[in-house]
Amino acid sequence: MTDKFVVGPSPHVLGPKTVKSVMWEVVIALAPVSIAGILLFGLDALLVLVTATVTAMILEALVLHRNLKPASILGDGSAAVSGLILGLILPPSTPLWMVVIAAAVGILLGKHAFGGLGNNIFNPALVARAFVFMSWPVAMTTWHGPLSLSDWTTRVSVDVASSASPLGGAQHGLMEMFLGQTAGSIGETSALAILLGAIFLIVRGHIDWRAPLGYVGSAAVVAAIYSFLGGDFALTTIAWQLMAGGLLFAAVFMITDMVTSPVTKTGRLLFGIGCGLITMVIRLYLSAPEGVTYGILFMNAMVPLIDRYTVPKVFGEVKSR
Amino acid sequence: MFGKELIRGIYTENPVFRLLFGLCPALAVTTAADTGLGMGLATTTVLLGSNLVVSLLKNVIPPAVRIPSFIVIIATFVTLVGMTMEAFFYPMFEALGIFIPLIVVNCLILGRAEAFASKNTLGRSLVDAIVMGIGFTISLGLLGAVREILGSGSILGFQLVPGTVDMALVFALPPGAFISLGLMLAALNYIAIRRKEA
Amino acid sequence: MKAALRMIFVLGLIAAVAGGALAGVNAWTAPIIEENTATRLQETLASVLDADEFELQEDTEQTLWHGYRNGELMGYVVRLRVGSYSPAGIDTLVGLDTEGNVQGVFIFGHSETPGLGDKIEEKWFLEQFIGLGIGDDIARGVDVDGITGATVSANAVMTAVRNSVRFVGEYAGLIDEPGIINLADVPDGTYTGTARGFIDNIVVEVTIEDGKLVSVVVIEENETASYAGPVYDQLPQAMVDEQKIDVDIVSGSTGTSQGLINAVKDALAQFATGDIEIDQLAGGIYRGEALGYDGKIVVEAEIVDGQLVAVTVLEHNDTPGIGGVAFETMIERLLAAQTLDVDAVSGATHSSQGLLDALKDAFRGAPRIEISRMEDGTYFGEAESFGGLLKLKAVVADGQLVSVEVLDHSDTPSYANPAFEEMIEDLLAAQTLDVDLVSGATISSQGLLDALKAALGSAPRLDLSQVPDGTYTGRADSFGGELELEVTVADGVITDITVVSHSDTPDYANPAFEELAETVVDEQDIYVDAVSGATISSRGWLSALEEALRQAVTD
C-alpha cells in the first residue's frame, strides 16, 4: 500500500481516528456486556468469549500475514471485535469446538471471502451465528439460567439446569430482564450493560443514533400493533419484546457496524427500520425462535441499494427537470 | 477421441462448475449423493433423447419454430422419464419431487439442443449428450456427496462417522447448497487460475 | 405462405408424435403407478395398525380407515392435521385397536424446523404413545415426554394423538360421556372402579351410605410410593369431607391424582345422569379446568335461573392472539346457544375444545355462591327440609346479604325455629353460605341452606309485599304484538288482573290469560308456569304483569 499513491476526494485531513483506535474503543464498549455475561453465566461464558476472540484473531493473522507474530495477531483490532461480538451472541453453554467453527466461518466466509475488512457485505459475527444456528439448532437453543450470588460464592463453575429463554416462553419480570437475569446468549440478556456500552460509543462519536433508533422504534411499533390486534395491548408487552432476545445488543453493536451499514444518514435510519420490521415479523409469525440474525443479514444485502437511493444532495445542486 | 470429449464434459466444459448450467436442480436436490446422482441420470436420459431427436430433425424444423419444437421434444422426454421413474423407481421419484418436471426448464438441455445438436451430426450430438450428462451427473453427485458428508456424516446412506456426532446440519439445508457450491466453484477457479499462470 | 404451412405442419407433427408417445407410455405405466400407490398406502397404514386390509370410510368427520385381518375388524386408522409451529401443521396417522388404544403413530408430513421440530419423527417419541388410549391424558409430563427444543411441535403431535383417540372413541361408541354424578342419587352400596394412574391402573372401592360418600379405599395400585403416598392420604379424605369427587389434585402427582379421581368416577359412572343440561343446573358460580392447547385452562361459569349468564377464563397458557380471540368467540356462542354443544372456533380447535372441557368439568362439580357478586334484589327459593318444603326470601343489597326470612316450612317448630334463627344470624354475620349446621337440627338447617342456595342461584324477584295498594298498568311484547294489562293490589294482595288490549289470537290467548290471572291471584305468586299451548302469549302476559308491579315498587 505504501508504495502506491493514495487518491481520494477532498478534504484530506489527517485525524487521530484510525481503524485501529476505533476498533479498540469498540472493544472497551463491549466490556460491560462481557463482564455482565461472565458474572451472569460464569466460567462457561468466559471460555466461549476467549475462544471466539482468539480464534478470530489467529485466523485473521493467518489470512492477512501468513504468520502468527504478535503484531499480526493484534492487527487492526477488527477481528477481535468480530470475535468478541460473536462470542457474546452465542449461548454460554456452546461447546468450544462449535465456537471455533463459528469464528472460522465468520472470519473466513463472512469476511475474507468477500475481500476482507471494508468489503464484506454481511456482518461476520452474524454470518457465523446463522451458520452454527442452522447447523446445530439444539445446542444453539439450549439456554441455561443465570447464576445467583450463592453459586458464585460456593464454586465458580456449576452444573446449571437448562431453562427457557424469554422468547422461548419463560416468564420474567421486566426488572430481571433489564438486569439480564434471564436465560439467553452471553451478552444479550443485560439491557443495562448494553446501554452502558451504547452511551460510551455515542459519547465517543463512533455510532450514529439513527440506525439503533430506527431499529428499536420500528420493532416497538410492530410489537404495539401485534399486541393491540391480539387484544392484550400493554406497554410492558412492548418493553418485553424489546428486551427479549438479542434485539438491544444488535441495535447497539451490530446494525451500527461501519462496514455493513449504509453510509448516508437517511440510509441508516431506513436500514434500522428495515432490520426492525424483519426481525419482528420473523419473531412473531415465522417458525424461528429469533429474528435478529436474519433480519440484519437480509438488510445487510440491501445496503448498496439503500446507499444508492439516499445519496445526499450536493451543496448548491438544483433538482433537474 | 471420446476420451478427449469426456474430459471436455467432466472438466473443461463441466456444465455445473464451468458453464454454470442447471444450477436450480444442482442446488435443490443435492441434499445427498444419491439424489444428486439420480437427478444427474434422469437429466442425462432426457438430454440423450432430446439431442438425438433434435439432431435428426435439424434439417426438417424451420428455424422460426425451432425453440417451440425443442421445448415440445424436451417436455415429452421429461414426462416419459417422470412416468417411468414413478412406476419403477418410486423412492427416487419421491425424493426428487417437483424437480423432475422442472428438468424441462433446465437450461443445460435446451442449451445443448440449441447450441450443439441442431448444428451437428447425430453421432457427435449423442457423444455430446453422453459426456455432458456424465459431467452433470458427476457434478451433482459430487455436490451431493460433499453436502451429505458434512451435513449428516454419511455417503450414499453409509454412515462414515458415528451417529452421535453432530454434523453441520446447515449443509443438508438450502443455505448449505449455496455455501458448498460457492466453495467448490472457488476451488475450481483457483486451480484453473494457477494452471494458467503456470 | 408455404413457409408458414410448413411450420404448422412440422410443429403439429412433432406434437402429434410426442402425444402418441406419451399416451403409449402412460398406458403402460399408469396401472403400475396406481398399484404402487395403493400398496404404499396399505404399507403405511399397516405400519400403525396390525392389519392386512384397510377400508376407507365415507362421510366421517376425519379421514378414517377400518383395518381388517382375515375379515375381522382389528381397529381404526385416523388421519389428522393439527396446527403447529409451521403454518402448514403436522399431518399424522394414528392406528388404534378396537378398544381405542394407540397401536402406532406415523408422521405423514410436516414442515417443522429442520433439526428441531423434525425430531417428532424420532422413534422413541412416537413409540411412547403405543398403549395409551381412552382415559389417558396423553399430555406432556403426564404420560408422554416432550422433546427439548421442540415443545410446540411435540405438543401438536400429542394433541393429534389425543384427538384421534377421542374421535375413534366417539366414532366407535367407546366413550360414554361421563355425566354428572349426583351422590344423592347413588343407592347405598360399595362400588369398584378402575382408571389408569401415572404408571398403571388404580382400583378403588367406593362406599355410599344415605346418599353420602363415606369411604374411598385404594385396593390395587402400582404407583411410585413417594409420589402417590400423599395422594392416597389426602384425596379420599377430601372426597369424603367435601362430598364431591372432583377434589383438588395433589400438585406434583397429577397423574396419580387424576387416576384416583377417574377411578372413583368409573365406580359410580353407572349412576351418572348423562349429558349436562344447562337449564337443569343449580344457580351459582362453577369453576373447572381442562387441558387446552398448551397447559391448563381454568374457567368460571355463572348460572342464574338455569341460564348460562357469564363465562370467564381465569387462567390459560394458549397463544395470546389466537387463544384469547377463540375464547371470546366461544363464550359468545355458548351464551347464545345455552348448551355446551357448540362448534369450535376454526383455527383454534384445541383452545375451543379445552374451554368446553373445562366447562364440563366445572358443571360436574358443585356451584359456589358469592354473595358479594350478587345483584341487588329480593330472592325467593325453596328446598326439601325435614317435614317438607321450606320456602324463604333473601334480600341482597350492595353485595351484602341483609336479610333472610323463612316464609313457610313444615318442620317441627320447637326444633326448627331456633335453628333457623341461629343459622340466619350466622349467615348474615359470615356473608357466605359456608356456615356450620346447627347441631340437633341438622336437617332443618341443611334445608334452610339448600333453599337459600336455590334462592341465590335464581334471578332476583319482585317482592309482592313491597307493592303499595293501587292499580298499575304494564306493557310487554307478546305473540301478536303489544299486550297491555292492569293489575290491582289491595292490602298487599293481588286482587285482579285485566288485559286491556292485545293482538294475540283470541282463541288461544284469552283462555290462557284467564287461567294465568286465576293462578296468580290464588297463589299470590307472579312467577308461575306458562299455559301449555299458549306459551308465548303466557310469557308476554307474565312480563307485562311483572313490569306493572316493578313500576309500582320503584315509583
Side-chain angles (χ1 to χ4, degrees):
Chain A
M1 283 297 273
T2 44
D3 58 348
K4 288 178 189 164
F5 286 111
V6 178
V7 182
S10 60
H12 302 281
V13 181
L14 193 62
K17 235 182 187 183
T18 61
V19 168
K20 210 168 174 172
S21 74
V22 172
M23 286 302 169
W24 290 113
E25 289 205 6
V26 174
V27 173
I28 294 172
L30 286 167
V33 277
S34 309
I35 294 167
I38 295 164
L39 286 177
L40 287 166
F41 300 110
L43 193 63
D44 288 350
L46 180 66
L47 287 176
V48 169
L49 294 183
V50 170
T51 310
T53 315
V54 170
T55 311
M57 290 167 81
I58 289 176
L59 285 172
E60 171 113 343
L62 286 176
V63 170
L64 288 180
H65 308 283
R66 306 195 184 215
N67 65 39
L68 285 175
K69 290 179 193 156
S72 318
I73 291 180
L74 284 177
D76 58 12
S78 64
V81 168
S82 295
L84 187 54
I85 288 183
L86 168 63
L88 289 166
I89 57 179
L90 292 176
S93 54
T94 313
L96 295 182
W97 62 268
M98 257 180 227
V99 180
V100 171
I101 293 179
V105 168
I107 293 296
L108 301 179
L109 282 186
K111 189 173 175 187
H112 288 290
F114 289 94
L117 184 68
N119 293 315
N120 51 309
I121 299 170
F122 300 105
N123 189 322
L126 285 175
V127 170
R129 172 151 83 169
F131 185 92
V132 287
F133 194 94
M134 270 187 273
S135 291
W136 298 284
V138 175
M140 287 300 131
T141 48
T142 304
W143 316 98
H144 63 60
L147 302 179
S148 65
L149 199 61
S150 61
D151 293 329
W152 271 102
T153 48
T154 48
R155 48 202 170 133
V156 174
S157 182
V158 285
D159 288 333
V160 270
S162 68
S163 72
S165 66
L167 281 179
Q171 309 275 322
H172 285 287
L174 287 180
M175 198 54 183
E176 273 177 288
M177 294 186 66
F178 183 71
L179 293 176
Q181 291 165 316
T182 66
S185 295
I186 298 170
E188 290 181 344
T189 62
S190 174
L192 175 66
I194 294 167
L195 290 179
L196 287 178
I199 292 167
F200 178 78
L201 286 176
I202 292 172
V203 168
R204 298 289 298 165
H206 294 317
I207 63 172
D208 182 16
W209 53 270
R210 287 177 182 82
L213 187 80
Y215 188 49
V216 175
S218 61
V221 168
V222 176
I225 293 171
Y226 182 78
S227 63
F228 183 75
L229 293 180
D232 45 7
F233 177 80
L235 285 177
T236 48
T237 320
I238 300 165
W240 185 91
Q241 277 289 358
L242 297 185
M243 284 200 276
L247 200 144
L248 274 188
F249 183 86
V252 176
F253 296 108
M254 296 205 277
I255 67 165
T256 56
D257 177 40
M258 295 174 188
V259 180
T260 58
S261 61
V263 180
T264 62
K265 287 175 176 167
T266 330
R268 284 181 188 155
L269 189 64
L270 285 177
F271 177 72
I273 292 172
C275 289
L277 291 180
I278 299 172
T279 299
M280 291 308 288
V281 166
I282 293 177
R283 258 192 200 178
L284 299 173
Y285 296 103
L286 266 64
S287 68
E290 172 61 304
V292 169
T293 311
Y294 301 123
I296 299 176
L297 284 176
F298 184 86
M299 288 307 290
N300 279 162
M302 296 288 145
V303 166
L305 199 67
I306 295 174
D307 270 340
R308 191 166 157 185
Y309 284 104
T310 55
V311 176
K313 206 169 69 169
V314 173
F315 181 66
E317 189 187 39
V318 179
K319 205 176 184 181
S320 59
R321 285 189 175 266
Chain B
M1 179 59 202
F2 183 76
K4 212 176 163 187
E5 286 287 298
L6 198 59
I7 291 170
R8 182 174 69 91
I10 294 173
Y11 181 67
T12 42
E13 283 183 31
N14 180 304
V16 174
F17 293 121
R18 308 301 297 170
L19 306 181
L20 301 183
F21 267 175
L23 287 189
C24 171
L27 290 167
V29 303
T30 54
T31 49
D34 60 348
T35 51
L37 290 173
M39 187 68 199
L41 289 175
T43 312
T44 306
T45 315
V46 174
L47 188 57
L48 210 54
S50 78
N51 264 17
L52 176 110
V53 174
V54 168
S55 177
L56 281 178
L57 299 180
K58 62 177 180 286
N59 296 321
V60 182
I61 299 170
V65 291
R66 73 180 191 288
I67 298 292
S69 306
F70 294 168
I71 295 287
V72 171
I73 292 164
I74 295 168
T76 307
F77 279 105
V78 169
T79 316
L80 293 182
V81 166
M83 289 193 291
T84 318
M85 283 181 80
E86 190 177 0
F88 301 106
F89 308 100
Y90 185 79
M92 184 55 71
F93 174 80
E94 200 183 22
L96 298 178
I98 182 68
F99 294 99
I100 291 179
L102 283 180
I103 296 175
V104 176
V105 290
N106 187 328
C107 46
L108 171 66
I109 295 167
L110 187 60
R112 293 330 283 182
E114 164 75 4
F116 201 94
S118 65
K119 298 182 181 105
N120 284 289
T121 59
L122 177 64
R124 291 199 52 176
S125 298
L126 285 179
V127 169
D128 181 70
I130 291 169
V131 297
M132 281 294 155
I134 291 174
F136 189 71
T137 309
I138 288 179
S139 310
L140 261 61
L142 198 65
L143 191 53
V146 167
R147 291 180 61 190
E148 194 180 346
I149 293 170
L150 294 176
S152 35
S154 61
I155 182 77
L156 291 170
F158 177 75
Q159 204 68 32
L160 293 177
V161 296
T164 47
V165 177
D166 277 340
M167 296 303 286
L169 184 70
V170 66
F171 286 102
L173 302 175
F178 286 91
I179 294 174
S180 318
L181 182 64
L183 291 176
M184 287 167 80
L185 283 176
L188 279 172
N189 280 343
Y190 180 73
I191 295 169
I193 292 166
R194 286 290 289 268
R195 275 202 171 175
K196 223 178 252 176
E197 283 171 351
Chain C
M1 188 60 200
K2 202 182 159 198
L5 276 179
R6 186 160 167 247
M7 278 184 221
I8 295 167
F9 178 72
V10 171
L11 203 51
L13 195 67
I14 291 175
V17 173
L22 287 174
V25 174
N26 186 44
W28 173 47
T29 55
I32 305 174
I33 292 171
E34 200 175 310
E35 201 188 311
N36 286 351
T37 313
T39 317
R40 266 193 312 280
L41 180 65
Q42 291 284 317
E43 278 168 7
T44 315
L45 293 172
S47 74
V48 294
L49 180 70
D50 184 27
D52 49 19
E53 204 189 323
F54 294 92
E55 199 178 278
L56 181 66
Q57 301 301 302
E58 278 166 19
D59 296 332
T60 49
E61 202 183 325
Q62 307 288 350
T63 313
L64 178 86
W65 289 268
H66 281 186
Y68 299 95
R69 178 177 287 285
N70 303 325
E72 192 193 338
L73 182 68
M74 300 301 289
Y76 313 90
V77 179
V78 185
R79 184 175 179 179
L80 272 181
R81 186 180 280 278
V82 285
S84 171
Y85 217 86
S86 63
I90 301 175
D91 198 354
T92 60
L93 215 51
V94 179
L96 304 111
D97 66 12
T98 49
E99 301 289 304
N101 295 315
V102 177
Q103 298 297 297
V105 181
F106 179 78
I107 306 294
F108 219 67
H110 72 84
S111 40
E112 304 298 289
T113 323
L116 289 171
D118 62 4
K119 289 199 189 310
I120 54 171
E121 286 182 295
E122 285 182 5
K123 217 173 161 191
W124 71 266
F125 176 68
L126 295 178
E127 278 181 352
Q128 57 178 348
F129 292 104
I130 295 174
L132 298 179
I134 296 162
D136 290 319
D137 283 346
I138 314 184
R140 173 164 50 106
V142 181
D143 39 21
V144 279
D145 290 327
I147 303 173
T148 325
T151 320
V152 177
S153 311
N155 279 1
V157 177
M158 291 169 203
T159 309
V161 176
R162 203 184 308 134
N163 289 353
S164 300
V165 170
R166 179 149 50 184
F167 174 67
V168 163
E170 280 165 17
Y171 172 81
L174 299 167
I175 301 177
D176 314 314
E177 187 69 20
I180 313 161
I181 298 168
N182 190 350
L183 288 173
D185 295 343
V186 180
D188 289 0
T190 300
Y191 305 93
T192 315
T194 309
R196 205 188 148 79
F198 186 64
I199 293 171
D200 208 345
N201 279 342
I202 298 177
V203 182
V204 295
E205 256 181 20
V206 183
T207 310
I208 305 281
E209 273 172 30
D210 287 336
K212 298 255 188 276
L213 185 65
V214 293
S215 84
V216 174
V217 183
V218 177
I219 54 171
E220 220 180 287
E221 57 94 28
N222 204 5
E223 309 290 285
T224 319
S226 56
Y227 288 100
V231 177
Y232 302 147
D233 288 344
Q234 294 168 26
L235 257 53
Q237 193 57 47
M239 287 177 185
V240 173
D241 288 349
E242 295 173 34
Q243 286 299 315
K244 66 174 195 184
I245 301 165
D246 275 306
V247 292
D248 290 339
I249 58 171
V250 176
S251 63
S253 311
T254 322
T256 309
S257 302
Q258 203 59 54
L260 180 64
I261 290 170
N262 289 341
V264 176
K265 280 187 186 164
D266 180 54
L268 303 177
Q270 51 182 316
F271 306 109
T273 49
D275 284 349
I276 293 163
E277 285 173 33
I278 287 177
D279 57 0
Q280 299 296 313
L281 291 169
I285 298 162
Y286 294 79
R287 183 195 278 252
E289 57 184 58
L291 277 176
Y293 180 63
D294 186 13
K296 229 165 53 167
I297 298 177
V298 181
V299 294
E300 260 188 11
E302 192 173 354
I303 301 278
V304 173
D305 270 347
Q307 288 266 323
L308 182 65
V309 296
V311 176
T312 324
V313 178
L314 300 177
E315 195 183 303
H316 77 93
N317 225 349
D318 293 4
T319 327
I322 301 166
V325 175
F327 292 147
E328 273 174 39
T329 317
M330 282 302 286
I331 291 169
E332 269 169 37
R333 287 181 190 174
L334 286 163
L335 295 182
Q338 290 297 322
T339 150
L340 296 188
D341 192 18
V342 296
D343 289 337
V345 175
S346 61
T349 345
H350 311 307
S351 298
S352 310
Q353 193 57 48
L355 180 72
L356 289 180
D357 290 347
L359 279 175
K360 279 184 194 161
D361 180 54
F363 292 143
R364 272 178 211 133
R368 174 169 51 90
I369 288 175
E370 263 182 36
I371 293 169
S372 61
R373 277 170 56 172
M374 306 292 304
E375 198 185 321
D376 285 0
T378 311
Y379 295 82
F380 292 87
E382 52 187 53
E384 213 45 59
S385 186
F386 190 76
L389 211 57
L390 182 152
K391 291 185 180 179
L392 58 68
K393 173 173 106 174
V395 179
V396 173
D398 295 330
Q400 293 267 324
L401 185 64
V402 294
S403 84
V404 178
E405 190 186 330
V406 178
L407 299 173
D408 190 17
H409 74 93
S410 321
D411 295 1
T412 322
S414 55
Y415 287 98
N417 285 348
F420 291 155
E421 263 171 49
E422 197 180 327
M423 283 295 289
I424 290 168
E425 209 169 290
D426 287 355
L427 285 165
L428 295 182
Q431 290 296 324
T432 144
L433 299 195
D434 192 18
V435 295
D436 291 337
L437 299 180
V438 176
S439 62
T442 38
I443 299 177
S444 294
S445 323
Q446 188 62 52
L448 179 96
L449 265 188
D450 289 348
L452 185 57
K453 269 183 200 164
L456 296 178
S458 61
R461 289 182 169 180
L462 198 71
D463 187 359
L464 276 184
S465 65
Q466 289 178 3
V467 179
D469 289 357
T471 302
Y472 309 100
T473 310
R475 288 181 194 85
D477 275 337
S478 184
F479 190 76
E482 199 185 61
L483 180 149
E484 187 180 326
L485 56 69
E486 261 181 18
V487 51
T488 311
V489 178
D491 297 330
V493 172
I494 299 176
T495 53
D496 186 38
I497 306 167
T498 330
V499 175
V500 179
S501 70
H502 74 92
S503 325
D504 294 1
T505 323
D507 288 353
Y508 291 97
N510 287 344
F513 294 156
E514 272 167 41
E515 194 182 326
L516 284 168
E518 214 167 287
T519 323
V520 169
V521 172
D522 269 4
E523 298 187 3
Q524 288 300 314
D525 182 353
I526 62 166
Y527 300 99
V528 297
D529 289 340
V531 175
S532 62
T535 327
I536 298 176
S537 298
S538 304
R539 286 201 195 129
W541 188 90
L542 286 167
S543 311
L545 176 63
E546 190 180 348
E547 211 242 7
L549 294 170
R550 210 171 270 287
Q551 271 177 14
V553 177
T554 46
D555 280 351

